[in-house]
mmCIF file of all heavy atoms in Angstrom:
data_model
loop_
_atom_site.group_PDB
_atom_site.id
_atom_site.type_symbol
_atom_site.label_atom_id
_atom_site.label_comp_id
_atom_site.label_asym_id
_atom_site.label_seq_id
_atom_site.Cartn_x
_atom_site.Cartn_y
_atom_site.Cartn_z
ATOM 1 N N ALA L 775 7.231 38.910 5.675
ATOM 2 C CA ALA L 775 6.298 39.778 4.969
ATOM 3 C C ALA L 775 7.082 40.768 4.120
ATOM 4 O O ALA L 775 8.202 41.154 4.464
ATOM 5 C CB ALA L 775 5.409 40.528 5.957
ATOM 6 N N LEU L 780 5.926 50.186 5.415
ATOM 7 C CA LEU L 780 5.741 49.680 6.774
ATOM 8 C C LEU L 780 5.616 50.884 7.694
ATOM 9 O O LEU L 780 6.449 51.791 7.659
ATOM 10 C CB LEU L 780 6.944 48.831 7.195
ATOM 11 C CG LEU L 780 7.021 48.489 8.687
ATOM 12 C CD1 LEU L 780 5.892 47.562 9.096
ATOM 13 C CD2 LEU L 780 8.370 47.864 9.022
ATOM 14 N N VAL L 782 5.487 51.884 11.578
ATOM 15 C CA VAL L 782 5.737 51.375 12.930
ATOM 16 C C VAL L 782 5.095 52.339 13.905
ATOM 17 O O VAL L 782 5.514 53.493 14.024
ATOM 18 C CB VAL L 782 7.250 51.251 13.205
ATOM 19 C CG1 VAL L 782 7.482 50.728 14.618
ATOM 20 C CG2 VAL L 782 7.909 50.352 12.177
ATOM 21 N N LEU L 805 1.997 48.204 12.292
ATOM 22 C CA LEU L 805 2.119 47.400 13.509
ATOM 23 C C LEU L 805 2.259 48.297 14.731
ATOM 24 O O LEU L 805 2.717 49.447 14.636
ATOM 25 C CB LEU L 805 3.289 46.415 13.404
ATOM 26 C CG LEU L 805 4.691 46.929 13.162
ATOM 27 C CD1 LEU L 805 5.331 47.392 14.455
ATOM 28 C CD2 LEU L 805 5.533 45.817 12.548
ATOM 29 N N THR L 851 5.943 44.385 18.423
ATOM 30 C CA THR L 851 6.947 45.425 18.634
ATOM 31 C C THR L 851 8.059 45.286 17.602
ATOM 32 O O THR L 851 8.657 44.216 17.493
ATOM 33 C CB THR L 851 7.570 45.290 20.035
ATOM 34 O OG1 THR L 851 6.522 45.226 20.996
ATOM 35 C CG2 THR L 851 8.471 46.470 20.338
ATOM 36 N N ALA L 852 8.287 46.360 16.858
ATOM 37 C CA ALA L 852 9.444 46.360 15.960
ATOM 38 C C ALA L 852 10.679 46.497 16.839
ATOM 39 O O ALA L 852 10.877 47.524 17.481
ATOM 40 C CB ALA L 852 9.349 47.513 14.969
ATOM 41 N N VAL L 853 11.479 45.454 16.902
ATOM 42 C CA VAL L 853 12.607 45.451 17.837
ATOM 43 C C VAL L 853 13.925 45.806 17.165
ATOM 44 O O VAL L 853 14.883 46.148 17.837
ATOM 45 C CB VAL L 853 12.745 44.092 18.562
ATOM 46 C CG1 VAL L 853 11.579 43.884 19.501
ATOM 47 C CG2 VAL L 853 12.860 42.956 17.576
ATOM 48 N N GLY L 854 13.968 45.733 15.845
ATOM 49 C CA GLY L 854 15.222 46.067 15.181
ATOM 50 C C GLY L 854 14.958 46.474 13.744
ATOM 51 O O GLY L 854 14.058 45.944 13.094
ATOM 52 N N CYS L 855 15.742 47.438 13.258
ATOM 53 C CA CYS L 855 15.674 47.815 11.851
ATOM 54 C C CYS L 855 17.070 47.635 11.269
ATOM 55 O O CYS L 855 18.021 48.275 11.720
ATOM 56 C CB CYS L 855 15.202 49.252 11.691
ATOM 57 S SG CYS L 855 15.084 49.745 9.963
ATOM 58 N N TYR L 856 17.186 46.756 10.316
ATOM 59 C CA TYR L 856 18.486 46.351 9.813
ATOM 60 C C TYR L 856 18.666 46.795 8.362
ATOM 61 O O TYR L 856 17.820 47.488 7.813
ATOM 62 C CB TYR L 856 18.643 44.830 9.955
ATOM 63 C CG TYR L 856 18.474 44.358 11.386
ATOM 64 C CD1 TYR L 856 17.229 44.023 11.893
ATOM 65 C CD2 TYR L 856 19.567 44.279 12.237
ATOM 66 C CE1 TYR L 856 17.078 43.610 13.204
ATOM 67 C CE2 TYR L 856 19.424 43.861 13.546
ATOM 68 C CZ TYR L 856 18.177 43.521 14.034
ATOM 69 O OH TYR L 856 18.040 43.111 15.335
ATOM 70 N N ASP L 857 19.759 46.331 7.758
ATOM 71 C CA ASP L 857 20.104 46.757 6.409
ATOM 72 C C ASP L 857 18.947 46.606 5.435
ATOM 73 O O ASP L 857 18.208 45.625 5.471
ATOM 74 C CB ASP L 857 21.279 45.912 5.886
ATOM 75 C CG ASP L 857 22.600 46.364 6.485
ATOM 76 O OD1 ASP L 857 22.797 47.576 6.606
ATOM 77 O OD2 ASP L 857 23.407 45.495 6.839
ATOM 78 N N HIS L 858 18.864 47.558 4.537
ATOM 79 C CA HIS L 858 17.942 47.502 3.405
ATOM 80 C C HIS L 858 16.502 47.318 3.875
ATOM 81 O O HIS L 858 15.760 46.480 3.347
ATOM 82 C CB HIS L 858 18.354 46.393 2.415
ATOM 83 C CG HIS L 858 19.755 46.587 1.898
ATOM 84 N ND1 HIS L 858 20.417 45.640 1.163
ATOM 85 C CD2 HIS L 858 20.622 47.613 2.019
ATOM 86 C CE1 HIS L 858 21.623 46.079 0.847
ATOM 87 N NE2 HIS L 858 21.780 47.279 1.369
ATOM 88 N N ASN L 859 16.159 48.107 4.892
ATOM 89 C CA ASN L 859 14.776 48.149 5.379
ATOM 90 C C ASN L 859 14.238 46.779 5.771
ATOM 91 O O ASN L 859 13.145 46.381 5.374
ATOM 92 C CB ASN L 859 13.856 48.792 4.321
ATOM 93 C CG ASN L 859 13.988 50.303 4.326
ATOM 94 O OD1 ASN L 859 14.859 50.865 5.003
ATOM 95 N ND2 ASN L 859 13.129 50.968 3.592
ATOM 96 N N TYR L 860 15.024 46.088 6.537
ATOM 97 C CA TYR L 860 14.616 44.772 7.048
ATOM 98 C C TYR L 860 14.283 44.958 8.517
ATOM 99 O O TYR L 860 15.164 45.246 9.330
ATOM 100 C CB TYR L 860 15.773 43.799 6.868
ATOM 101 C CG TYR L 860 15.501 42.366 7.215
ATOM 102 C CD1 TYR L 860 14.812 41.541 6.321
ATOM 103 C CD2 TYR L 860 15.946 41.826 8.402
ATOM 104 C CE1 TYR L 860 14.599 40.221 6.618
ATOM 105 C CE2 TYR L 860 15.733 40.486 8.706
ATOM 106 C CZ TYR L 860 15.058 39.697 7.800
ATOM 107 O OH TYR L 860 14.853 38.379 8.095
ATOM 108 N N VAL L 861 13.015 44.843 8.824
ATOM 109 C CA VAL L 861 12.559 45.098 10.192
ATOM 110 C C VAL L 861 12.153 43.783 10.844
ATOM 111 O O VAL L 861 11.442 42.977 10.239
ATOM 112 C CB VAL L 861 11.382 46.093 10.196
ATOM 113 C CG1 VAL L 861 10.739 46.179 11.571
ATOM 114 C CG2 VAL L 861 11.872 47.471 9.750
ATOM 115 N N VAL L 862 12.646 43.573 12.037
ATOM 116 C CA VAL L 862 12.259 42.393 12.799
ATOM 117 C C VAL L 862 11.296 42.838 13.889
ATOM 118 O O VAL L 862 11.584 43.794 14.622
ATOM 119 C CB VAL L 862 13.491 41.703 13.408
ATOM 120 C CG1 VAL L 862 13.064 40.552 14.303
ATOM 121 C CG2 VAL L 862 14.406 41.202 12.302
ATOM 122 N N ALA L 863 10.155 42.185 13.952
ATOM 123 C CA ALA L 863 9.132 42.570 14.927
ATOM 124 C C ALA L 863 8.679 41.334 15.689
ATOM 125 O O ALA L 863 8.535 40.262 15.114
ATOM 126 C CB ALA L 863 7.943 43.221 14.221
ATOM 127 N N TRP L 878 8.209 38.401 13.217
ATOM 128 C CA TRP L 878 7.974 38.924 11.865
ATOM 129 C C TRP L 878 9.273 39.464 11.285
ATOM 130 O O TRP L 878 9.981 40.209 11.954
ATOM 131 C CB TRP L 878 6.942 40.043 11.906
ATOM 132 C CG TRP L 878 5.551 39.547 12.129
ATOM 133 C CD1 TRP L 878 4.986 39.233 13.327
ATOM 134 C CD2 TRP L 878 4.565 39.305 11.127
ATOM 135 N NE1 TRP L 878 3.695 38.802 13.134
ATOM 136 C CE2 TRP L 878 3.405 38.841 11.795
ATOM 137 C CE3 TRP L 878 4.541 39.434 9.737
ATOM 138 C CZ2 TRP L 878 2.237 38.508 11.103
ATOM 139 C CZ3 TRP L 878 3.372 39.100 9.061
ATOM 140 C CH2 TRP L 878 2.241 38.638 9.737
ATOM 141 N N GLN L 879 9.555 39.055 10.079
ATOM 142 C CA GLN L 879 10.689 39.602 9.351
ATOM 143 C C GLN L 879 10.129 40.294 8.128
ATOM 144 O O GLN L 879 9.631 39.640 7.209
ATOM 145 C CB GLN L 879 11.669 38.495 9.006
ATOM 146 C CG GLN L 879 12.351 37.972 10.278
ATOM 147 C CD GLN L 879 12.654 36.492 10.234
ATOM 148 O OE1 GLN L 879 13.604 36.082 9.605
ATOM 149 N NE2 GLN L 879 11.826 35.697 10.880
ATOM 150 N N ILE L 880 10.180 41.602 8.175
ATOM 151 C CA ILE L 880 9.456 42.399 7.193
ATOM 152 C C ILE L 880 10.445 43.170 6.329
ATOM 153 O O ILE L 880 11.281 43.910 6.835
ATOM 154 C CB ILE L 880 8.500 43.389 7.897
ATOM 155 C CG1 ILE L 880 7.557 42.621 8.839
ATOM 156 C CG2 ILE L 880 7.722 44.198 6.878
ATOM 157 C CD1 ILE L 880 6.801 43.501 9.797
ATOM 158 N N ARG L 881 10.343 42.964 5.032
ATOM 159 C CA ARG L 881 11.163 43.736 4.093
ATOM 160 C C ARG L 881 10.253 44.809 3.514
ATOM 161 O O ARG L 881 9.275 44.493 2.843
ATOM 162 C CB ARG L 881 11.700 42.821 3.001
ATOM 163 C CG ARG L 881 12.595 43.508 2.028
ATOM 164 C CD ARG L 881 13.976 43.787 2.575
ATOM 165 N NE ARG L 881 14.769 42.569 2.680
ATOM 166 C CZ ARG L 881 16.038 42.547 3.075
ATOM 167 N NH1 ARG L 881 16.646 43.677 3.413
ATOM 168 N NH2 ARG L 881 16.691 41.416 3.172
ATOM 169 N N ALA L 882 10.574 46.051 3.816
ATOM 170 C CA ALA L 882 9.706 47.157 3.406
ATOM 171 C C ALA L 882 10.458 48.050 2.441
ATOM 172 O O ALA L 882 11.620 48.373 2.647
ATOM 173 C CB ALA L 882 9.276 47.958 4.627
ATOM 174 N N ILE L 885 9.708 52.887 4.969
ATOM 175 C CA ILE L 885 9.283 52.751 6.359
ATOM 176 C C ILE L 885 8.911 54.126 6.891
ATOM 177 O O ILE L 885 9.577 55.123 6.566
ATOM 178 C CB ILE L 885 10.414 52.162 7.236
ATOM 179 C CG1 ILE L 885 10.833 50.787 6.720
ATOM 180 C CG2 ILE L 885 9.973 52.049 8.689
ATOM 181 C CD1 ILE L 885 12.033 50.204 7.446
ATOM 182 N N PHE L 887 8.572 55.588 10.612
ATOM 183 C CA PHE L 887 8.652 55.376 12.054
ATOM 184 C C PHE L 887 7.742 56.400 12.731
ATOM 185 O O PHE L 887 8.036 57.591 12.730
ATOM 186 C CB PHE L 887 10.084 55.571 12.561
ATOM 187 C CG PHE L 887 11.062 54.554 12.064
ATOM 188 C CD1 PHE L 887 12.206 54.938 11.383
ATOM 189 C CD2 PHE L 887 10.844 53.195 12.286
ATOM 190 C CE1 PHE L 887 13.117 53.999 10.928
ATOM 191 C CE2 PHE L 887 11.746 52.251 11.828
ATOM 192 C CZ PHE L 887 12.885 52.648 11.146
ATOM 193 N N LEU L 1026 14.691 53.116 16.649
ATOM 194 C CA LEU L 1026 14.726 52.395 15.363
ATOM 195 C C LEU L 1026 15.387 53.259 14.290
ATOM 196 O O LEU L 1026 16.114 52.761 13.431
ATOM 197 C CB LEU L 1026 13.314 51.994 14.943
ATOM 198 C CG LEU L 1026 12.649 50.950 15.841
ATOM 199 C CD1 LEU L 1026 11.181 50.794 15.461
ATOM 200 C CD2 LEU L 1026 13.355 49.611 15.740
ATOM 201 N N ARG L 1052 13.427 55.821 5.076
ATOM 202 C CA ARG L 1052 12.963 55.572 6.450
ATOM 203 C C ARG L 1052 12.576 56.908 7.065
ATOM 204 O O ARG L 1052 13.401 57.587 7.665
ATOM 205 C CB ARG L 1052 14.077 54.906 7.282
ATOM 206 C CG ARG L 1052 14.400 53.489 6.814
ATOM 207 C CD ARG L 1052 15.544 52.882 7.581
ATOM 208 N NE ARG L 1052 16.816 53.485 7.251
ATOM 209 C CZ ARG L 1052 17.545 53.184 6.168
ATOM 210 N NH1 ARG L 1052 17.114 52.260 5.339
ATOM 211 N NH2 ARG L 1052 18.686 53.789 5.932
#
Side-chain angles (χ1 to χ4, degrees):
Chain L
L780 167 67
V782 180
L805 58 82
T851 308
V853 292
C855 181
Y856 303 89
D857 283 319
H858 302 170
N859 282 8
Y860 186 79
V861 170
V862 175
W878 286 82
Q879 291 146 78
I880 305 167
R881 182 76 73 177
I885 301 174
F887 294 124
L1026 293 171
R1052 293 177 289 280

